[in-house]
């Protein structure tokens, strides 16, 4: 009877305990679920804001490109490209003179004798440089007229819609007639360009017929290459007049031009008195090249260290090596950047001046802040991520794989190379991809150590291209975002750069996660 009396009490006690567990589970679910929901909402808002601000760039950029054509600036740039090509050739002569000067100085020749021996070369370079003076004057005068016309178009764009609307039967407003007259004035420079081009062509041909003597025989191949480029330039001058006459200011600009100019543009020019360009290619190339250097240095070090710690090192060595490598991740990137400026960049430049490295064609380097300097420091930042994940991948290989290899007579090196690494390869590759995502999204190190030159490296230098300064996508955002006007085309262009970086890192991380999932399935 007592047991029967206790049954309702036990049932009530169990019921209360079950309710308490349900209440606790519900509280835990609500707490963690609400935090997860907040994180998702915040990420969604950031993504929406990024897309909204970024895509507003295309409309503004299209209007800018249309004004660029309507004002005649595009026409002037057709002439300017020949003036710029001539300037590049003049810089080439200056570089050749510098090489001859340094070679003579290295041989111990007195300064007076060096300048005297280079006097014929200096006369040649000065004569070549002066051939472009009429062309530079024509470009300057035409540019002033085009700039004034562009200012008038910008002012006219600020008129009210009622004042700007006209019908076919309504004569154009005086402002439009004045703009057209200014544009016609710009286009009259085609005839002057033909005469100047013919004169320059004759002068360059005469100069090339009597080249100056070179004091350094090693410079002869470079000078021969320069002569070939100058000859090609002179032969291409008559085509400039044809381009000018074929130019049509009324030709419509397709809507996709604003997209292609951003994705494939080779110029990033902002706050210019002329025309702003927002081409992401130099920034993208800079980011990729810095990442390539970082992975080329970091991947072998990190993977080899992971193999050593996982399969070779003693317990004492593991306690020493693993925390030390993982501690690198705690070093602030700005500290690494200062270390790169003060130590790494200077050490690399000094190393390129060693006598036994003089056989390298692009040594010594002139810039201590370049792709290689930034990539070397980013390698340090990528090593902890790649090391930790690679070690986990190696440790997760079933023990039976290793035992079977040893049972078949394989030694430790054969087991590592032919069993463990292939079995964990997808995990190691995913670690490398996550390291790449870490590297390509880094800002402070590349901003301090990459040189910040918005220019595509000269790939004709071969491996020397990796010792040239560049700018990156993350660096340009950090450098310019604080100086732009909210809502301006420059502001939205930086958001577009951020959007490209967002999509790029998202794709890298997605690929890494897919490889991790595949690795876990293969292990399971």
């Amino acid at each position: 009877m007592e047991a029967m009396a206790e049954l309702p009490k036990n049932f009530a006690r169990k019921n209360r305990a079950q309710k308490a567990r349900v209440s606790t589970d519900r509280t835990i679910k609500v707490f963690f679920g609400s935090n997860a929901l907040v994180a998702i909402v915040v990420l969604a808002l950031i993504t929406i804001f990024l897309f909204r601000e970024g895509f507003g760039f295309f409309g503004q950029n299209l209007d800018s490109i249309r004004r660029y054509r309507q004002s005649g600036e595009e026409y002037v740039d057709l002439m300017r490209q020949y003036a710029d090509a001539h300037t590049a050739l003049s810089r080439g002569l200056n570089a050749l003179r510098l090489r001859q000067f340094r070679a003579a100085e290295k041989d111990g020749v007195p300064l007076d004798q060096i300048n005297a021996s280079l006097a014929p070369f200096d006369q040649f370079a000065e004569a070549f440089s002066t051939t472009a003076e009429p062309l530079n004057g024509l470009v300057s005068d035409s540019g002033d007229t085009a700039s004034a016309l562009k200012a008038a178009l910008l002012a006219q764009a600020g008129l009210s819609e009622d004042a700007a609307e006209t019908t076919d039967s309504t004569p154009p407003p005086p402002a439009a007639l004045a703009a057209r007259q200014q544009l016609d004035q710009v286009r009259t420079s085609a005839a002057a360009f033909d005469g100047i081009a013919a004169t320059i062509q004759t002068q360059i041909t005469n100069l090339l017929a009597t080249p100056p003597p070179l004091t350094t025989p090693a410079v002869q191949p470079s000078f021969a290459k320069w002569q070939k480029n100058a000859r090609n330039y002179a032969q291409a001058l008559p085509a400039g007049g044809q381009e000018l006459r074929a130019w049509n200011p009324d030709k419509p600009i397709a809507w996709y031009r604003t997209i292609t100019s951003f994705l494939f543009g080779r110029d990033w020019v902002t706050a210019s008195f002329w025309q702003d360009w927002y081409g992401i290619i130099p920034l993208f190339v800079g980011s990729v090249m810095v990442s390539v250097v970082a992975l080329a240095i970091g991947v072998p070090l990190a993977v080899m260290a992971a193999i050593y710690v996982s399969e070779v090192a003693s317990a004492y060595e593991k306690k020493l090596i693993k925390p030390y490598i993982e501690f690198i991740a705690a070093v602030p990137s700005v500290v690494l950047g200062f270390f790169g400026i003060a130590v790494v960049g200077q050490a690399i430049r000094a190393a390129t001046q060693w006598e036994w490295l003089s056989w390298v064609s692009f040594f010594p380097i002139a810039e201590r802040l370049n792709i290689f300097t930034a990539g070397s420091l980013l390698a340090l930042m990528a090593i902890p991520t790649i090391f930790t994940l690679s070690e986990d991948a190696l440790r997760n290989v079933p023990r039976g794989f290793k035992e079977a290899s040893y049972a078949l007579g394989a030694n430790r090196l054969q087991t590592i190379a032919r069993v463990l690494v292939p079995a964990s390869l997808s995990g190691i590759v995913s670690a490398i991809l996550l390291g790449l995502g870490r590297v390509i999204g880094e800002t402070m190190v590349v901003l301090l150590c990459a040189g910040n030159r918005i220019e595509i490296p000269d790939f004709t230098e071969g491996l020397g291209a990796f010792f040239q300064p560049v700018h990156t996508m993350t660096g340009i955002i950090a450098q310019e975002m604080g100086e732009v006007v909210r809502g301006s085309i420059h502001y939205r262009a930086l958001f577009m750069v951020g959007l490209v970086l967002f999509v790029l890192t998202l794709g890298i991380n997605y690929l890494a996660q897919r490889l991790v999932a595949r690795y876990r399935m293969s292990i399971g």
Side-chain angles (χ1 to χ4, degrees):
M1 294 296 293
E2 293 179 0
M4 293 292 294
E6 289 292 329
L7 285 177
K9 296 180 180 179
N10 292 336
F11 179 79
R13 190 179 301 111
K14 291 180 179 179
N15 191 26
R16 287 195 298 270
Q18 183 177 4
K19 288 183 178 179
R21 285 196 299 271
V22 171
S23 178
T24 302
D25 292 343
R26 185 177 300 173
T27 301
I28 293 173
K29 183 177 180 180
V30 170
F31 176 76
F32 289 102
S34 61
N35 283 275
L37 180 62
V38 170
I40 293 173
V41 170
V42 170
L43 290 175
L45 290 175
I46 293 174
T47 304
I48 292 171
F49 177 74
L50 187 63
F51 274 83
R52 187 192 69 179
E53 296 295 322
F55 276 102
F57 160 79
F58 292 117
Q60 292 178 319
N61 192 38
L62 183 59
D63 291 338
S64 176
I65 295 174
R66 285 172 176 168
R67 281 192 297 269
Y68 172 68
R69 173 168 293 178
Q70 294 168 359
S71 64
E73 288 184 337
E74 184 181 45
Y75 180 88
V76 177
D77 277 343
L78 293 176
M79 297 184 290
R80 193 189 302 276
Q81 65 182 349
Y82 291 95
D84 292 342
H86 191 283
T87 302
L89 289 171
S90 296
R91 286 199 300 266
L93 283 177
N94 294 334
L96 291 174
R97 187 196 189 280
L98 181 61
R99 288 179 58 184
Q100 295 180 83
F101 181 88
R102 287 179 173 174
E105 189 179 37
K106 185 177 180 181
D107 293 337
V109 180
L111 181 60
D112 294 340
Q113 295 183 16
I114 295 177
N115 291 329
S117 62
L118 289 176
F121 190 89
D122 293 339
Q123 293 174 3
F124 178 87
E126 184 178 359
F128 180 85
S129 178
T130 56
T131 58
E133 290 183 357
L135 178 59
N136 292 330
L138 179 64
V139 171
S140 178
D141 294 339
S142 302
D144 292 340
T145 305
S147 296
L149 176 54
K150 186 174 184 178
L153 291 175
L154 288 171
Q156 187 178 355
L159 297 176
S160 64
E161 294 183 359
D162 293 337
E165 290 181 354
T166 58
T167 61
D168 293 339
S169 59
T170 304
L177 288 175
R180 192 68 187 191
Q181 290 174 356
Q182 285 182 292
L183 183 59
D184 292 340
Q185 181 181 351
V186 173
R187 298 181 67 186
T188 57
S189 58
F193 179 87
D194 289 335
I196 292 173
T199 303
I200 294 176
Q201 187 178 35
T202 302
Q203 292 175 342
I204 291 179
T205 303
N206 294 335
L207 284 172
L208 294 178
T210 56
L214 301 177
T215 60
T216 305
V219 180
Q220 183 60 46
S222 298
F223 184 69
K225 182 179 179 181
W226 181 90
Q227 287 178 302
K228 180 180 178 181
N229 293 335
R231 192 173 293 108
N232 293 336
Y233 169 77
Q235 294 174 354
L237 280 171
Q242 299 175 5
E243 293 180 13
L244 293 175
R245 284 185 289 272
W247 180 77
N248 181 14
D250 299 322
K251 183 179 179 180
I253 296 178
W255 61 269
Y256 57 81
R257 172 77 181 279
T258 183
I259 301 176
T260 57
S261 66
F262 175 76
L263 295 179
F264 307 108
R266 301 170 64 90
D267 298 306
W268 182 278
V269 181
T270 61
S272 172
F273 73 95
W274 189 249
Q275 172 69 13
D276 291 344
W277 294 106
Y278 303 95
I280 199 174
I281 287 297
L283 307 177
F284 178 78
V285 171
S287 296
V288 170
M289 294 186 70
V290 170
S291 300
V292 167
V293 172
L295 293 183
I297 298 174
V299 169
L301 294 176
V303 174
M304 295 302 174
I307 293 174
Y308 181 81
V309 170
S310 176
E311 304 299 328
V312 180
S314 64
Y316 175 77
E317 289 175 325
K318 292 178 181 179
K319 292 180 180 179
L320 177 65
I321 296 174
K322 187 175 179 179
Y324 186 80
I325 292 178
E326 293 177 345
F327 174 75
I328 299 175
V331 179
S333 60
V334 67
V335 175
L336 287 177
F338 282 132
F339 178 72
I341 293 175
V343 179
V344 177
Q346 186 65 30
I348 291 174
R349 185 170 64 176
T352 62
Q353 297 174 354
W354 291 343
E355 184 67 25
W356 63 277
L357 289 177
S358 60
W359 58 272
V360 181
S361 60
F362 51 85
F363 281 177
I365 61 175
E367 304 284 348
R368 63 189 177 93
L369 304 179
N370 51 53
I371 296 172
F372 190 82
T373 302
S376 300
L377 294 167
L378 288 182
L380 291 177
M381 303 185 69
I383 282 175
T385 300
I386 301 174
F387 167 80
T388 302
L389 297 177
S390 297
E391 188 199 11
D392 291 341
L394 290 165
R395 288 184 178 277
N396 287 332
V397 175
R399 185 177 180 85
F401 287 16
K402 185 191 303 184
E403 294 175 348
S405 177
Y406 287 140
L408 292 174
N411 56 32
R412 176 182 288 178
L413 181 61
Q414 291 173 329
T415 300
I416 292 173
R418 300 185 180 182
V419 178
L420 296 180
V421 172
S424 60
L425 186 60
S426 58
I428 293 175
V429 172
S430 66
I432 294 172
L433 289 177
L434 289 174
L436 174 60
R438 173 76 174 88
V439 165
I440 206 168
E442 174 56 35
T443 302
M444 189 56 65
V445 168
V446 294
L447 184 61
L448 294 175
C449 300
N452 297 341
R453 179 187 296 173
I454 308 176
E455 184 176 305
I456 299 176
D458 183 9
F459 291 105
T460 61
E461 294 288 336
L463 292 178
F466 289 95
F467 291 88
Q468 298 176 18
V470 293
H471 220 319
T472 62
M473 292 185 288
T474 54
I476 202 71
I477 294 173
Q479 183 178 5
E480 297 185 355
M481 181 57 76
E483 302 174 357
V484 298
V485 178
R486 180 181 177 87
S488 64
I489 182 174
H490 189 182
Y491 170 85
R492 298 190 185 278
L494 294 176
F495 269 92
M496 274 305 304
V497 175
L499 186 58
V500 171
L501 189 63
F502 171 79
V503 173
L504 188 62
T505 53
L506 183 65
I508 292 173
N509 282 276
Y510 173 76
L511 183 60
Q513 294 299 328
R514 289 293 300 271
L515 287 173
V516 169
R518 180 181 176 182
Y519 168 76
R520 288 175 178 171
M521 290 177 61
S522 64
I523 294 299

